[in-house]
C-alpha cells in the first residue's frame, strides 16, 4: 500500500480548469492560485515577503534623497486579447506610463485582480504570463497584490488594477500647469492605433493592413528626453479621450490655447480609413504607447531628434504650438486650409478601451 503524501494538493489544471469561488475565499485554493500562478510568474524578493504589503527600500536616486510618485489605474478592456496585446501587458504599461510622465523612474508595481467564477485558468495564465513579460522587460517588479473572485455573471472574466511607485529627483517639475504661450507641441508617433485595434477586434472587422495596439512602456524613452536637459514643460500619454481630450485638459490647467496642424499629426492611413468607416475621429481615439511632449520652442528640434532616434518615437512630429487664449481653445488648421475647434470629447465613443 502506497503511502499517502501528507498535505498533498493536486496542482492547478491550467489547461482545463476554471476559476471558482474558493479561489477568492482566503483558503487553501486561493493560496494555491497565488503560489502556482501569480508568484510563479511575477515572483521576486519583495512579492516573496508574503505579507499584506511589501517593505521597500527608501527613495534614493543617484545617491540622493528623492520624492516618490504613485499612480493607480483600473483596466477593464474588452476584449481581453486584442491585436498587439492583452489586458495583462496593458495593465503594466498603462500604470508605468502614468508614473513616467511625471518625470519619475518607475520602481515597483502592485496588482489587484477581480476574477469571475468560471473564468478559464488557461486564459488567466496567458494574462499573468503577459504581465510578467511586460514587467520584466520594463525592469519594474510586481511586489504585492490581491485577488478576489465574484460570482458567475457578476464580472466580465477579469478586471485588473495596477498601482505604480516611482522616484522623482528633486528639482524636476513637470505638469499641465507649466505650459506657456510660445511652447511647442510634439507627439512621439501615430495617433489612434490602440483604440482602432480594439474596435476592429470587437466588431470582428478586418482591413487590408493589420492594425495593432501600440501598448508599450514609455519610461525608457522619457528618460532619454529628460537626459537632454531640455526645458520640458509637460509630458502626457494620450489614453482615453485621445490627443484631443488630453490637450484640452492641459490647455485648461495652464490657461492657454493651442493651434494644431492637421497635416502634421501622424495617423496611419489604415487607422484613418478605419476611423472613417467606424465613424470615429482619430484625434479622440485612445493610445497606449504614445507620448505628448510640450516644451520651450528652442528645445523642440533636439527633442524631436531624440524621439526619432528611439524605437518608440521614429514617427515623432511637431504638431502645433501653444498660444495665448483666454478661452483655452484647442484649434486645428485643416488640410484644406480651414480652422476648427477641437473640443473636449462629448460622451464616450469607445467604452472599455483600456
Amino acid at each position: 500500500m502506497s503511502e499517502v503524501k501528507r498535505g498533498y494538493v493536486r496542482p492547478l489544471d491550467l489547461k482545463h480548469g476554471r476559476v471558482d469561488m474558493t479561489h477568492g475565499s482566503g483558503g487553501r485554493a486561493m493560496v494555491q492560485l497565488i503560489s502556482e500562478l501569480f508568484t510563479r510568474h511575477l515572483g521576486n524578493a519583495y512579492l516573496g515577503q508574503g505579507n499584506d504589503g511589501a517593505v521597500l527600500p527608501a527613495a534614493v536616486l543617484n545617491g540622493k534623497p528623492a520624492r516618490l510618485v504613485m499612480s493607480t489605474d483600473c483596466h477593464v478592456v474588452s476584449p481581453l486579447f486584442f491585436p498587439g496585446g492583452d489586458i495583462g501587458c496593458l495593465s503594466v504599461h498603462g500604470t508605468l506610463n502614468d508614473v513616467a510622465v511625471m518625470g519619475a523612474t518607475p520602481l515597483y508595481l502592485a496588482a489587484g485582480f477581480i476574477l469571475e467564477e468560471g473564468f478559464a485558468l488557461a486564459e488567466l495564465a496567458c494574462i499573468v504570463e503577459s504581465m510578467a513579460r511586460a514587467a520584466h522587460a520594463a525592469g519594474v517588479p510586481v511586489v504585492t497584490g490581491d485577488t478576489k473572485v465574484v460570482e458567475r455573471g457578476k464580472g466580465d472574466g477579469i478586471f485588473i488594477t495596477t498601482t505604480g511607485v516611482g522616484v522623482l529627483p528633486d528639482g524636476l517639475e513637470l505638469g499641465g500647469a507649466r505650459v506657456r504661450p510660445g511652447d511647442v507641441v510634439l507627439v512621439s508617433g501615430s495617433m489612434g492605433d490602440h483604440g482602432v485595434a480594439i474596435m476592429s477586434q470587437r466588431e470582428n472587422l478586418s482591413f487590408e493592413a493589420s492594425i495593432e495596439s501600440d501598448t508599450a512602456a514609455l519610461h525608457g524613452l522619457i528618460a532619454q528626453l529628460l537626459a537632454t536637459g531640455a526645458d520640458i514643460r509637460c509630458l502626457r500619454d494620450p489614453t482615453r479621450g485621445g490627443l484631443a481630450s488630453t490637450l484640452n485638459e492641459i490647455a485648461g490647467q495652464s490657461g492657454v490655447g493651442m493651434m494644431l496642424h492637421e497635416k502634421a499629426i501622424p495617423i496611419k492611413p489604415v487607422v484613418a480609413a478605419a476611423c472613417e468607416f467606424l465613424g470615429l475621429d482619430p484625434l479622440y481615439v485612445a493610445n497606449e504607447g504614445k507620448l505628448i511632449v510640450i516644451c520651450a520652442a528652442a528645445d523642440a528640434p533636439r527633442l524631436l531628434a531624440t524621439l526619432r532616434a528611439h524605437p518608440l518615437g521614429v514617427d515623432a512630429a511637431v504638431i502645433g504650438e501653444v498660444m495665448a487664449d483666454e478661452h483655452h481653445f484647442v484649434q486645428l488648421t485643416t488640410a484644406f486650409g480651414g480652422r476648427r475647434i477641437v473640443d473636449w470629447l462629448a460622451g464616450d465613443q469607445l467604452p472599455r478601451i483600456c
Side-chain angles (χ1 to χ4, degrees):
M1 184 175 179
S2 60
E3 181 181 354
V4 177
K5 188 175 180 181
R6 186 179 180 84
Y8 173 77
V9 177
R10 179 176 297 176
L12 282 175
D13 183 356
L14 291 177
K15 187 174 182 180
H16 303 101
R18 300 269 172 186
V19 171
D20 61 49
M21 296 304 295
T22 65
H23 288 127
S25 67
R28 175 175 290 173
M30 191 181 83
V31 173
Q32 183 183 20
L33 181 70
I34 291 171
S35 64
E36 294 186 20
L37 187 56
F38 295 117
T39 303
R40 175 185 173 192
H41 292 290
L42 302 174
N44 52 69
Y46 303 113
L47 189 62
Q49 293 172 4
N51 300 314
D52 287 348
V55 178
L56 308 172
V60 176
L61 187 63
N62 298 326
K64 300 178 180 178
R67 296 165 291 170
L68 291 176
V69 170
M70 176 181 288
S71 181
T72 194
D73 203 355
C74 302
H75 303 274
V76 298
V77 65
S78 176
L80 301 175
F81 300 89
F82 46 83
D86 54 71
I87 191 173
C89 63
L90 184 69
S91 68
V92 171
H93 295 154
T95 295
L96 287 183
N97 293 343
D98 285 344
V99 172
V101 294
M102 297 297 296
T105 301
L107 296 179
Y108 307 108
L109 283 168
F113 300 86
I114 297 177
L115 308 174
E116 183 183 7
E117 180 185 18
F119 188 59
L121 286 174
E123 290 189 51
L124 179 58
C126 289
I127 290 167
V128 176
E129 289 167 14
S130 177
M131 286 186 72
R133 286 193 297 272
H136 179 75
V140 183
V142 177
V143 299
T144 189
D146 188 34
T147 304
K148 295 288 191 301
V149 177
V150 297
E151 296 90 340
R152 191 185 302 268
K154 294 189 176 179
D156 197 7
I158 180 172
F159 300 138
I160 302 176
T161 296
T162 45
T163 300
V165 175
V167 61
L168 180 68
D170 284 339
L172 177 59
E173 301 291 345
L174 302 175
R178 297 190 66 252
V179 174
R180 298 290 178 266
D183 289 349
V184 170
V185 183
L186 303 91
V187 293
S188 63
S190 58
M191 295 289 103
D193 295 7
H194 174 73
V196 171
I198 296 288
M199 285 302 295
S200 61
Q201 180 79 359
R202 191 181 294 172
E203 302 297 332
N204 198 26
L205 299 175
S206 60
F207 300 94
E208 288 188 4
S210 63
I211 304 175
E212 292 192 348
S213 168
D214 57 357
T215 181
L218 295 168
H219 59 304
L221 172 60
I222 290 173
Q224 292 191 12
L225 292 174
L226 296 175
T228 65
D231 190 357
I232 299 173
R233 316 286 200 199
C234 177
L235 299 172
R236 288 285 171 86
D237 55 335
T239 54
R240 278 180 302 170
L243 178 69
S245 294
T246 306
L247 291 181
N248 270 282
E249 181 180 342
I250 296 170
Q253 287 179 293
S254 283
V256 298
M258 297 184 191
M259 181 61 72
L260 310 180
H261 308 293
E262 186 174 32
K263 288 183 177 179
I265 299 173
I267 300 172
K268 294 175 181 173
V270 65
V271 170
C275 284
E276 186 173 354
F277 178 79
L278 294 166
L280 303 173
D281 184 338
L283 299 185
Y284 293 88
V285 176
N287 313 271
E288 289 292 344
K290 296 295 172 10
L291 186 64
I292 296 173
V293 182
I294 302 181
C295 66
D299 288 328
R302 61 172 163 158
L303 289 175
L304 181 63
T306 302
L307 285 166
R308 288 178 171 173
H310 192 281
L312 295 178
V314 292
D315 295 323
V318 173
I319 65 165
E321 54 274 339
V322 179
M323 57 187 187
D325 181 354
E326 62 179 0
H327 302 294
H328 315 158
F329 286 149
V330 176
Q331 302 182 61
L332 179 79
T333 57
T334 70
F336 300 104
R339 180 181 294 191
R340 71 177 174 92
I341 291 177
V342 181
D343 207 351
W344 282 92
L345 175 66
D348 191 355
Q349 64 173 355
L350 290 174
R352 305 282 302 274
I353 207 72
C354 58

